[in-house]
Amino acid sequence: MSQTANLRIAAIALTALLSACSALKDSDEGNTGFFQCKSPRPEMCTREYRPVCGHIDTRIESKVRCVTEPCPSGKHQTFGNSCSACANPAVMGYEEGSCESYGK
């Protein structure tokens, strides 16, 4: 095989690899608002910083429920990216951007 053919194959493989990486984002790309975490939950995430505001179900997060006073069933927390937010089993979903940007 010639060197030119090897370079073409390498270029095609690199293009396929890069497009596969960009396809890992949620299928809701282009939508704004709330993104629901999908199953299976991620076990490893990149350290890319694209902050999201995670919506946490406090009933899942804490094993103990208060009985004497009303307890909020949810809270918000900023995560470094959507993968790290959805890796937390108590997170129901997220909005892009930090919680502070939403006033939460």
Side-chain angles (χ1 to χ4, degrees):
M1 211 180 250
S2 71
Q3 186 175 5
T4 306
N6 287 338
L7 287 175
R8 283 186 187 157
I9 292 171
I12 292 170
L14 181 59
T15 303
L17 178 63
L18 291 176
S19 64
C21 290
S22 65
L24 292 176
K25 183 149 173 66
D26 288 327
S27 60
D28 298 326
E29 188 171 352
N31 291 346
T32 57
F34 184 77
F35 296 89
Q36 188 169 0
C37 292
K38 296 180 173 68
S39 291
R41 298 285 181 136
E43 293 181 21
M44 291 191 315
C45 300
T46 63
R47 293 178 55 152
E48 168 187 31
Y49 185 68
R50 288 189 177 199
V52 298
C53 182
H55 296 242
I56 299 173
D57 184 348
T58 56
R59 294 170 293 187
I60 295 173
E61 183 183 49
S62 67
K63 307 268 190 250
V64 179
R65 288 292 287 161
C66 60
V67 230
T68 58
E69 59 186 75
C71 297
S73 61
K75 68 178 187 177
H76 301 93
Q77 178 183 336
T78 299
F79 290 87
N81 58 43
S82 60
C83 179
S84 59
C86 289
N88 181 335
V91 174
M92 301 174 293
Y94 62 90
E95 295 172 273
E96 292 182 343
S98 69
C99 294
E100 292 77 23
S101 67
Y102 291 100
K104 297 178 181 175

Coordinates of all heavy atoms in Angstrom, one line a residue:
M1 N 0.8 -1.2 0.0 CA 0.0 0.0 0.0 C 0.9 1.2 0.0 O 1.9 1.3 0.7 CB -0.9 0.0 1.3 CG -2.2 0.6 1.1 SD -3.2 0.5 2.6 CE -4.4 -0.6 2.1
S2 N 0.5 2.3 -0.7 CA 1.3 3.5 -0.8 C 1.2 4.3 0.4 O 0.2 4.2 1.2 CB 0.9 4.2 -2.1 OG -0.3 4.8 -1.9
Q3 N 2.1 5.2 0.6 CA 2.0 6.1 1.7 C 0.8 7.0 1.7 O 0.2 7.3 2.7 CB 3.3 7.0 1.8 CG 3.4 7.8 3.0 CD 4.7 8.5 3.2 OE1 5.6 8.5 2.3 NE2 4.9 9.2 4.3
T4 N 0.4 7.4 0.5 CA -0.8 8.3 0.3 C -2.0 7.6 0.7 O -2.9 8.1 1.4 CB -0.9 8.7 -1.2 OG1 0.3 9.3 -1.6 CG2 -2.1 9.7 -1.4
A5 N -2.1 6.3 0.4 CA -3.3 5.5 0.8 C -3.3 5.3 2.3 O -4.4 5.4 2.9 CB -3.3 4.1 0.1
N6 N -2.2 5.1 2.9 CA -2.1 5.0 4.4 C -2.5 6.3 5.1 O -3.2 6.3 6.1 CB -0.7 4.7 4.8 CG -0.4 3.2 4.6 OD1 -1.3 2.4 4.4 ND2 0.9 2.9 4.5
L7 N -2.1 7.5 4.5 CA -2.5 8.8 5.1 C -4.0 9.0 4.9 O -4.7 9.5 5.8 CB -1.8 9.9 4.4 CG -0.3 10.0 4.7 CD1 0.4 11.1 3.9 CD2 -0.1 10.3 6.2
R8 N -4.6 8.6 3.8 CA -6.1 8.7 3.6 C -6.8 7.9 4.6 O -7.8 8.3 5.2 CB -6.5 8.3 2.2 CG -6.1 9.3 1.2 CD -6.7 8.9 -0.2 NE -6.2 9.9 -1.2 CZ -6.1 9.6 -2.4 NH1 -6.5 8.4 -2.9 NH2 -5.7 10.5 -3.3
I9 N -6.4 6.6 4.9 CA -7.0 5.7 5.8 C -6.9 6.3 7.2 O -7.9 6.4 8.0 CB -6.4 4.3 5.8 CG1 -6.8 3.7 4.4 CG2 -6.9 3.5 7.0 CD1 -6.1 2.4 4.2
A10 N -5.7 6.9 7.6 CA -5.5 7.5 8.9 C -6.4 8.7 9.0 O -7.0 8.9 10.1 CB -4.1 7.9 9.1
A11 N -6.6 9.5 8.0 CA -7.4 10.7 8.0 C -8.9 10.3 8.2 O -9.6 10.9 9.0 CB -7.3 11.5 6.8
I12 N -9.3 9.3 7.5 CA -10.7 8.8 7.7 C -11.0 8.3 9.1 O -12.0 8.6 9.7 CB -11.0 7.7 6.6 CG1 -11.0 8.4 5.2 CG2 -12.4 7.0 6.9 CD1 -11.1 7.4 4.1
A13 N -10.0 7.5 9.6 CA -10.1 7.0 11.0 C -10.2 8.1 12.0 O -11.0 8.0 12.9 CB -9.0 6.0 11.3
L14 N -9.4 9.1 11.8 CA -9.3 10.2 12.8 C -10.7 11.0 12.7 O -11.2 11.4 13.7 CB -8.2 11.2 12.4 CG -8.0 12.4 13.3 CD1 -7.8 11.9 14.8 CD2 -6.9 13.2 12.9
T15 N -11.2 11.2 11.5 CA -12.5 11.9 11.3 C -13.6 11.1 12.0 O -14.4 11.7 12.7 CB -12.8 12.1 9.9 OG1 -11.7 12.8 9.2 CG2 -14.1 12.8 9.7
A16 N -13.6 9.8 11.8 CA -14.6 9.0 12.5 C -14.5 9.0 14.0 O -15.5 9.1 14.7 CB -14.5 7.5 12.0
L17 N -13.3 9.0 14.5 CA -13.1 9.0 16.0 C -13.5 10.4 16.5 O -14.2 10.4 17.5 CB -11.6 8.8 16.3 CG -11.2 8.9 17.7 CD1 -11.9 7.8 18.5 CD2 -9.7 8.8 17.9
L18 N -13.2 11.5 15.9 CA -13.6 12.8 16.4 C -15.1 13.0 16.3 O -15.7 13.6 17.2 CB -12.9 13.9 15.6 CG -11.4 14.0 15.8 CD1 -10.8 15.1 14.9 CD2 -11.1 14.3 17.3
S19 N -15.8 12.5 15.3 CA -17.2 12.6 15.2 C -17.9 11.7 16.2 O -19.0 12.1 16.7 CB -17.7 12.3 13.8 OG -17.5 11.0 13.4
A20 N -17.3 10.6 16.6 CA -17.9 9.8 17.6 C -17.8 10.5 18.9 O -18.8 10.4 19.7 CB -17.1 8.4 17.7
C21 N -16.8 11.2 19.2 CA -16.7 11.9 20.5 C -17.7 13.0 20.6 O -18.3 13.2 21.6 CB -15.3 12.6 20.6 SG -14.0 11.4 20.9
S22 N -18.0 13.7 19.5 CA -19.0 14.8 19.6 C -20.4 14.2 19.6 O -21.3 14.8 20.1 CB -18.9 15.7 18.4 OG -19.2 15.0 17.2
A23 N -20.6 12.9 19.3 CA -21.9 12.3 19.3 C -22.2 11.8 20.7 O -23.4 11.4 21.0 CB -22.0 11.1 18.4
L24 N -21.3 11.9 21.7 CA -21.6 11.4 23.0 C -22.4 12.4 23.8 O -23.0 12.0 24.8 CB -20.2 11.2 23.8 CG -19.4 10.1 23.3 CD1 -18.0 10.1 24.0 CD2 -20.1 8.8 23.4
K25 N -22.6 13.6 23.3 CA -23.5 14.5 24.0 C -24.9 14.0 23.9 O -25.3 13.3 23.0 CB -23.4 15.9 23.3 CG -24.2 17.0 24.0 CD -23.5 18.3 23.9 CE -24.4 19.4 24.4 NZ -24.6 19.4 25.8
D26 N -25.7 14.4 24.9 CA -27.1 14.0 24.9 C -27.8 14.3 23.6 O -27.5 15.2 22.9 CB -27.9 14.8 26.0 CG -27.5 14.3 27.4 OD1 -27.2 13.1 27.5 OD2 -27.5 15.1 28.3
S27 N -28.8 13.5 23.2 CA -29.5 13.6 22.0 C -30.4 14.9 22.0 O -30.9 15.2 20.9 CB -30.4 12.4 21.7 OG -31.3 12.3 22.8
D28 N -30.5 15.5 23.1 CA -31.3 16.7 23.2 C -30.6 18.0 22.7 O -31.0 19.1 23.0 CB -31.8 16.9 24.6 CG -32.7 15.8 25.1 OD1 -33.5 15.3 24.2 OD2 -32.7 15.4 26.3
E29 N -29.4 17.8 22.1 CA -28.6 18.9 21.7 C -29.4 19.9 20.9 O -30.1 19.5 20.0 CB -27.3 18.4 20.9 CG -26.3 19.5 20.7 CD -25.1 18.9 20.1 OE1 -24.9 17.7 20.0 OE2 -24.2 19.7 19.7
G30 N -29.2 21.1 21.1 CA -29.9 22.2 20.4 C -31.1 22.6 21.3 O -31.6 23.7 21.1
N31 N -31.6 21.8 22.1 CA -32.7 22.2 23.0 C -32.1 23.0 24.2 O -30.9 22.8 24.6 CB -33.4 21.0 23.6 CG -34.2 20.2 22.6 OD1 -34.5 20.7 21.5 ND2 -34.6 19.0 22.9
T32 N -32.9 23.8 24.8 CA -32.5 24.5 26.0 C -33.4 24.1 27.0 O -34.5 23.7 26.8 CB -32.5 26.0 25.8 OG1 -33.8 26.4 25.4 CG2 -31.4 26.5 24.8
G33 N -33.0 24.3 28.3 CA -33.9 23.9 29.3 C -33.4 22.7 30.1 O -32.2 22.5 30.2
F34 N -34.3 21.9 30.5 CA -34.0 20.7 31.4 C -33.7 19.5 30.6 O -34.4 19.2 29.6 CB -35.3 20.4 32.3 CG -35.0 19.3 33.2 CD1 -34.3 19.5 34.4 CD2 -35.5 18.0 33.0 CE1 -34.1 18.5 35.3 CE2 -35.3 17.0 33.9 CZ -34.6 17.3 35.1
F35 N -32.6 18.8 30.9 CA -32.2 17.6 30.3 C -32.2 16.5 31.3 O -31.6 16.6 32.4 CB -30.7 17.7 29.8 CG -30.5 18.7 28.7 CD1 -30.3 20.0 29.0 CD2 -30.7 18.3 27.4 CE1 -30.1 21.0 28.0 CE2 -30.5 19.3 26.4 CZ -30.2 20.6 26.7
Q36 N -33.0 15.4 31.1 CA -33.1 14.3 32.0 C -31.9 13.4 31.9 O -31.5 13.1 30.8 CB -34.4 13.6 31.7 CG -34.7 12.5 32.8 CD -36.1 12.0 32.6 OE1 -36.9 12.4 31.7 NE2 -36.5 11.1 33.5
C37 N -31.4 12.9 33.0 CA -30.3 11.9 33.0 C -30.9 10.6 32.4 O -32.0 10.2 32.8 CB -29.8 11.7 34.4 SG -28.9 13.2 35.0
K38 N -30.1 10.0 31.6 CA -30.5 8.7 31.0 C -29.8 7.5 31.7 O -28.7 7.7 32.3 CB -30.1 8.8 29.5 CG -30.9 9.9 28.8 CD -30.5 9.9 27.3 CE -31.4 10.9 26.5 NZ -31.2 12.2 26.8
S39 N -30.3 6.4 31.5 CA -29.7 5.1 32.0 C -29.1 4.4 30.8 O -29.5 4.5 29.7 CB -30.8 4.2 32.6 OG -31.3 4.8 33.8
P40 N -28.0 3.7 31.1 CA -27.3 3.6 32.3 C -26.5 4.8 32.7 O -26.1 5.6 31.8 CB -26.3 2.4 32.1 CG -26.1 2.5 30.6 CD -27.4 3.0 30.0
R41 N -26.4 5.0 34.0 CA -25.6 6.2 34.5 C -24.1 6.0 34.2 O -23.6 4.9 34.2 CB -25.8 6.3 36.0 CG -27.2 6.6 36.5 CD -27.6 8.0 36.2 NE -29.0 8.2 36.6 CZ -29.3 9.3 37.3 NH1 -28.4 10.3 37.5 NH2 -30.6 9.5 37.6
P42 N -23.4 7.1 33.9 CA -22.0 7.0 33.6 C -21.2 6.6 34.8 O -21.6 7.0 35.9 CB -21.6 8.4 33.2 CG -22.7 9.3 33.6 CD -23.9 8.5 33.8
E43 N -20.2 5.8 34.6 CA -19.3 5.4 35.7 C -18.0 6.2 35.7 O -17.3 6.3 36.7 CB -19.0 3.9 35.5 CG -20.2 3.1 35.8 CD -19.9 1.6 35.7 OE1 -18.8 1.2 35.8 OE2 -20.9 0.8 35.5
M44 N -17.6 6.7 34.5 CA -16.4 7.6 34.4 C -16.7 8.8 33.5 O -17.5 8.7 32.6 CB -15.2 6.8 33.7 CG -14.7 5.7 34.6 SD -13.2 5.0 34.0 CE -13.4 4.7 32.3
C45 N -16.1 9.9 33.9 CA -16.4 11.1 33.1 C -15.1 11.9 32.8 O -14.1 11.7 33.5 CB -17.3 12.1 33.9 SG -18.9 11.4 34.3
T46 N -15.1 12.7 31.8 CA -14.0 13.5 31.5 C -13.9 14.7 32.5 O -14.9 14.9 33.2 CB -14.1 14.1 30.1 OG1 -15.2 15.0 30.0 CG2 -14.2 13.0 29.0
R47 N -12.8 15.4 32.5 CA -12.7 16.5 33.4 C -13.0 17.8 32.7 O -12.6 18.9 33.1 CB -11.3 16.5 34.0 CG -11.1 15.3 34.9 CD -9.8 15.3 35.5 NE -9.4 16.5 36.2 CZ -8.6 16.7 37.1 NH1 -8.0 15.6 37.6 NH2 -8.4 17.8 37.7
E48 N -13.7 17.8 31.6 CA -14.1 18.9 30.8 C -15.0 19.8 31.7 O -15.8 19.3 32.4 CB -14.9 18.4 29.6 CG -15.6 19.5 28.9 CD -16.5 18.9 27.8 OE1 -17.0 17.8 27.9 OE2 -16.6 19.6 26.8
Y49 N -14.7 21.1 31.7 CA -15.5 22.0 32.5 C -16.6 22.8 31.6 O -16.3 23.6 30.9 CB -14.6 23.1 33.2 CG -15.4 24.0 34.2 CD1 -16.0 23.4 35.3 CD2 -15.6 25.3 33.9 CE1 -16.7 24.2 36.2 CE2 -16.4 26.1 34.7 CZ -16.9 25.5 35.9 OH -17.7 26.3 36.7
R50 N -17.8 22.3 31.7 CA -19.0 22.9 31.1 C -20.1 22.8 32.2 O -20.8 21.9 32.2 CB -19.4 22.2 29.9 CG -18.5 22.4 28.7 CD -19.1 21.8 27.5 NE -18.2 22.1 26.4 CZ -18.6 22.0 25.1 NH1 -19.8 21.7 24.8 NH2 -17.7 22.3 24.2
P51 N -20.1 23.8 33.1 CA -21.0 23.7 34.3 C -22.4 23.5 33.9 O -22.9 24.0 33.0 CB -20.7 25.0 35.0 CG -20.2 25.9 34.0 CD -19.5 25.1 33.0
V52 N -23.1 22.7 34.8 CA -24.5 22.4 34.7 C -25.1 22.6 36.1 O -24.4 22.4 37.1 CB -24.8 21.0 34.1 CG1 -24.3 20.9 32.7 CG2 -24.3 19.9 34.9
C53 N -26.4 22.9 36.1 CA -27.1 23.0 37.4 C -27.9 21.7 37.5 O -28.9 21.5 36.8 CB -28.0 24.2 37.4 SG -28.9 24.4 38.9
G54 N -27.4 20.8 38.4 CA -28.1 19.5 38.7 C -29.3 19.7 39.6 O -29.3 20.4 40.6
H55 N -30.4 19.0 39.2 CA -31.6 18.9 40.0 C -31.5 17.6 40.9 O -31.6 16.5 40.3 CB -32.8 18.9 39.1 CG -33.0 20.2 38.4 ND1 -34.0 21.0 38.5 CD2 -32.2 20.8 37.4 CE1 -33.9 22.1 37.7 NE2 -32.8 21.9 37.0
I56 N -31.3 17.8 42.1 CA -31.1 16.6 43.0 C -32.4 16.3 43.8 O -33.1 17.2 44.4 CB -30.0 16.9 44.0 CG1 -28.7 17.2 43.3 CG2 -29.8 15.8 45.0 CD1 -27.6 17.7 44.1
D57 N -32.8 15.0 43.7 CA -34.0 14.5 44.5 C -33.4 14.2 45.9 O -32.7 13.2 46.1 CB -34.6 13.3 43.8 CG -35.8 12.8 44.5 OD1 -36.1 13.2 45.6 OD2 -36.5 11.9 43.9
T58 N -33.8 15.0 46.9 CA -33.3 14.8 48.2 C -33.8 13.6 48.9 O -33.2 13.1 49.8 CB -33.6 16.0 49.1 OG1 -35.0 16.2 49.1 CG2 -32.9 17.3 48.6
R59 N -34.9 13.0 48.4 CA -35.4 11.8 48.9 C -34.5 10.6 48.6 O -34.4 9.6 49.3 CB -36.8 11.5 48.4 CG -37.8 12.5 48.9 CD -39.1 12.3 48.2 NE -38.9 12.7 46.8 CZ -39.8 12.8 45.9 NH1 -41.1 12.5 46.2 NH2 -39.6 13.2 44.7
I60 N -33.8 10.7 47.5 CA -32.8 9.7 47.1 C -31.5 9.9 47.7 O -30.8 9.0 48.2 CB -32.7 9.6 45.5 CG1 -34.0 9.2 44.9 CG2 -31.5 8.7 45.1 CD1 -34.0 9.3 43.4
E61 N -31.1 11.2 47.8 CA -29.8 11.6 48.3 C -29.6 11.2 49.8 O -28.6 10.7 50.2 CB -29.6 13.1 48.1 CG -28.2 13.6 48.6 CD -28.1 15.1 48.5 OE1 -29.0 15.8 48.9 OE2 -27.1 15.5 47.9
S62 N -30.6 11.5 50.6 CA -30.5 11.2 52.0 C -31.3 10.0 52.4 O -32.4 9.8 51.8 CB -31.0 12.4 52.9 OG -32.3 12.6 52.7
K63 N -30.8 9.2 53.2 CA -31.5 7.9 53.6 C -32.6 8.2 54.7 O -33.4 7.4 54.9 CB -30.5 6.9 54.2 CG -29.3 6.6 53.2 CD -29.6 5.5 52.3 CE -28.4 5.1 51.6 NZ -28.4 5.4 50.2
V64 N -32.5 9.4 55.3 CA -33.4 9.7 56.4 C -34.3 10.9 56.0 O -33.8 11.8 55.4 CB -32.6 10.2 57.7 CG1 -33.5 10.6 58.8 CG2 -31.6 9.1 58.1
R65 N -35.6 10.7 56.2 CA -36.5 11.8 55.9 C -37.0 12.4 57.2 O -37.2 11.8 58.2 CB -37.7 11.2 55.2 CG -37.5 10.8 53.8 CD -37.2 11.9 52.8 NE -38.4 12.6 52.5 CZ -38.4 13.9 52.1 NH1 -37.3 14.5 51.8 NH2 -39.5 14.5 51.8
C66 N -37.1 13.8 57.1 CA -37.6 14.4 58.3 C -39.2 14.2 58.4 O -39.8 14.1 57.4 CB -37.3 15.9 58.3 SG -37.9 16.8 57.0
V67 N -39.7 14.1 59.6 CA -41.1 13.9 59.8 C -41.8 15.0 60.5 O -43.0 15.2 60.4 CB -41.3 12.6 60.7 CG1 -42.3 11.7 60.0 CG2 -40.0 11.9 61.0
T68 N -41.0 15.8 61.3 CA -41.7 16.8 62.1 C -41.9 18.1 61.4 O -42.7 18.9 61.8 CB -40.8 17.1 63.4 OG1 -39.5 17.5 62.9 CG2 -40.7 15.9 64.2
E69 N -41.1 18.4 60.3 CA -41.3 19.6 59.5 C -41.2 19.3 58.1 O -40.7 18.3 57.7 CB -40.3 20.6 59.9 CG -38.8 20.2 59.7 CD -37.8 21.1 60.3 OE1 -37.7 21.2 61.5 OE2 -37.2 21.8 59.5
P70 N -41.8 20.2 57.2 CA -41.7 19.9 55.8 C -40.3 20.0 55.3 O -39.5 20.8 55.7 CB -42.5 21.1 55.2 CG -43.2 21.7 56.3 CD -42.5 21.4 57.5
C71 N -39.9 19.0 54.5 CA -38.6 19.0 53.9 C -38.7 19.2 52.4 O -39.6 18.7 51.7 CB -38.0 17.6 54.1 SG -37.8 17.1 55.8
P72 N -37.8 20.0 51.9 CA -37.8 20.2 50.4 C -37.5 18.9 49.7 O -36.6 18.1 50.2 CB -36.7 21.2 50.2 CG -35.8 21.1 51.3 CD -36.7 20.7 52.5
S73 N -38.2 18.5 48.6 CA -37.9 17.3 47.9 C -36.8 17.4 46.9 O -36.4 16.4 46.3 CB -39.2 16.8 47.3 OG -39.6 17.7 46.3
G74 N -36.3 18.6 46.7 CA -35.3 18.8 45.7 C -34.4 20.0 46.1 O -34.8 20.8 46.8
K75 N -33.2 19.9 45.5 CA -32.3 21.1 45.6 C -31.4 21.1 44.4 O -31.5 20.2 43.5 CB -31.4 20.9 46.9 CG -30.4 19.8 46.8 CD -29.5 19.7 48.1 CE -28.4 18.7 47.9 NZ -27.5 18.7 49.1
H76 N -30.6 22.1 44.3 CA -29.8 22.3 43.1 C -28.3 22.4 43.5 O -28.0 22.9 44.5 CB -30.2 23.6 42.3 CG -31.6 23.6 41.9 ND1 -32.7 24.1 42.7 CD2 -32.2 23.1 40.8 CE1 -33.8 23.9 42.0 NE2 -33.6 23.3 40.9
Q77 N -27.5 21.9 42.6 CA -26.0 21.9 42.8 C -25.3 22.1 41.5 O -25.7 21.4 40.5 CB -25.6 20.7 43.5 CG -24.1 20.6 43.8 CD -23.7 19.3 44.4 OE1 -24.5 18.6 45.1 NE2 -22.4 18.9 44.2
T78 N -24.3 22.9 41.4 CA -23.5 23.1 40.2 C -22.5 21.9 40.1 O -21.8 21.6 41.1 CB -22.8 24.4 40.2 OG1 -23.8 25.5 40.2 CG2 -22.0 24.6 38.9
F79 N -22.5 21.3 39.0 CA -21.5 20.2 38.7 C -20.6 20.7 37.5 O -21.0 21.5 36.7 CB -22.2 18.9 38.2 CG -23.0 18.3 39.4 CD1 -24.3 18.6 39.7 CD2 -22.4 17.3 40.1 CE1 -25.0 18.0 40.7 CE2 -23.0 16.6 41.2 CZ -24.3 17.0 41.4
G80 N -19.4 20.1 37.4 CA -18.5 20.5 36.4 C -18.9 20.2 34.9 O -18.6 21.0 34.0
N81 N -19.7 19.2 34.8 CA -20.3 18.9 33.4 C -21.5 17.9 33.6 O -21.8 17.5 34.7 CB -19.2 18.3 32.5 CG -18.6 17.0 33.0 OD1 -19.3 16.1 33.6 ND2 -17.3 16.9 32.9
S82 N -22.2 17.7 32.5 CA -23.4 16.9 32.6 C -23.1 15.4 33.0 O -23.9 14.8 33.6 CB -24.1 16.9 31.2 OG -23.3 16.4 30.2
C83 N -21.9 14.9 32.5 CA -21.6 13.5 32.9 C -21.4 13.4 34.4 O -22.0 12.5 35.0 CB -20.3 13.1 32.1 SG -19.8 11.4 32.5
S84 N -20.7 14.3 35.0 CA -20.5 14.2 36.5 C -21.8 14.4 37.2 O -22.0 13.8 38.3 CB -19.4 15.1 36.9 OG -19.7 16.5 36.6
A85 N -22.7 15.2 36.7 CA -24.0 15.4 37.3 C -24.8 14.1 37.3 O -25.3 13.6 38.3 CB -24.7 16.5 36.7
C86 N -24.9 13.5 36.1 CA -25.7 12.3 35.9 C -25.0 11.1 36.5 O -25.7 10.0 36.7 CB -26.0 12.1 34.5 SG -27.2 13.3 33.9
A87 N -23.8 11.1 36.9 CA -23.1 10.0 37.6 C -23.6 9.9 39.0 O -23.6 8.8 39.6 CB -21.6 10.2 37.5
N88 N -24.2 11.0 39.5 CA -24.7 11.0 40.9 C -26.2 10.4 40.8 O -27.0 11.0 40.1 CB -24.8 12.4 41.4 CG -25.3 12.5 42.8 OD1 -26.1 11.7 43.2 ND2 -24.9 13.6 43.5
P89 N -26.4 9.3 41.4 CA -27.8 8.7 41.3 C -28.9 9.5 41.8 O -30.1 9.3 41.5 CB -27.6 7.4 42.1 CG -26.4 7.5 42.9 CD -25.6 8.5 42.3
A90 N -28.6 10.5 42.6 CA -29.7 11.4 43.2 C -30.1 12.5 42.2 O -31.1 13.2 42.4 CB -29.3 12.0 44.5
V91 N -29.3 12.7 41.1 CA -29.6 13.8 40.2 C -30.6 13.3 39.2 O -30.4 12.2 38.5 CB -28.3 14.2 39.5 CG1 -28.6 15.2 38.4 CG2 -27.3 14.9 40.5
M92 N -31.7 14.0 39.0 CA -32.8 13.6 38.1 C -32.4 14.2 36.7 O -32.8 13.5 35.7 CB -34.1 14.2 38.6 CG -34.5 13.7 39.9 SD -36.0 14.6 40.5 CE -35.4 16.3 40.7
G93 N -31.8 15.3 36.6 CA -31.5 16.0 35.4 C -30.7 17.2 35.6 O -30.3 17.5 36.8
Y94 N -30.5 18.0 34.6 CA -29.7 19.3 34.7 C -30.1 20.3 33.7 O -30.8 20.0 32.7 CB -28.2 18.9 34.5 CG -27.9 18.4 33.2 CD1 -27.6 19.2 32.1 CD2 -28.0 17.0 32.9 CE1 -27.3 18.7 30.9 CE2 -27.7 16.5 31.7 CZ -27.4 17.3 30.7 OH -27.1 16.8 29.4
E95 N -29.7 21.5 34.0 CA -29.8 22.6 33.0 C -28.4 23.1 32.7 O -27.5 23.0 33.6 CB -30.6 23.8 33.6 CG -32.0 23.4 33.9 CD -32.7 24.5 34.7 OE1 -32.7 24.5 35.9 OE2 -33.4 25.4 34.0
E96 N -28.1 23.5 31.5 CA -26.8 23.9 31.2 C -26.5 25.3 31.8 O -27.3 26.1 31.9 CB -26.6 24.0 29.7 CG -26.6 22.7 29.0 CD -26.4 22.7 27.5 OE1 -26.5 23.8 26.9 OE2 -26.1 21.6 27.0
G97 N -25.3 25.4 32.4 CA -24.9 26.6 33.1 C -24.9 26.4 34.6 O -25.5 25.4 35.1
S98 N -24.2 27.2 35.3 CA -24.2 27.1 36.8 C -25.5 27.4 37.4 O -26.4 28.1 36.8 CB -23.1 28.0 37.4 OG -23.5 29.3 37.3
C99 N -25.8 26.9 38.6 CA -27.0 27.2 39.3 C -27.1 28.7 39.6 O -28.2 29.2 39.6 CB -27.1 26.4 40.6 SG -27.2 24.6 40.3
E100 N -26.0 29.3 39.8 CA -26.0 30.8 40.1 C -26.6 31.5 38.9 O -27.2 32.5 39.1 CB -24.6 31.2 40.5 CG -24.1 30.7 41.8 CD -23.6 29.3 41.8 OE1 -23.2 28.8 40.7 OE2 -23.6 28.6 42.8
S101 N -26.3 31.0 37.7 CA -26.8 31.7 36.5 C -28.3 31.7 36.4 O -28.9 32.5 35.7 CB -26.1 31.2 35.2 OG -26.5 29.9 35.0
Y102 N -28.9 30.7 37.1 CA -30.4 30.6 37.1 C -31.0 31.2 38.4 O -32.2 31.1 38.6 CB -30.8 29.1 37.0 CG -30.5 28.5 35.7 CD1 -29.4 27.7 35.5 CD2 -31.4 28.7 34.6 CE1 -29.1 27.1 34.3 CE2 -31.1 28.1 33.4 CZ -30.0 27.3 33.3 OH -29.7 26.8 32.0
G103 N -30.1 31.7 39.3 CA -30.6 32.3 40.5 C -31.0 31.2 41.5 O -31.9 31.4 42.4
K104 N -30.4 30.0 41.4 CA -30.8 28.9 42.3 C -29.7 28.6 43.3 O -28.6 28.9 43.1 CB -31.1 27.6 41.5 CG -32.2 27.8 40.5 CD -32.4 26.5 39.7 CE -33.5 26.7 38.7 NZ -33.7 25.7 37.8

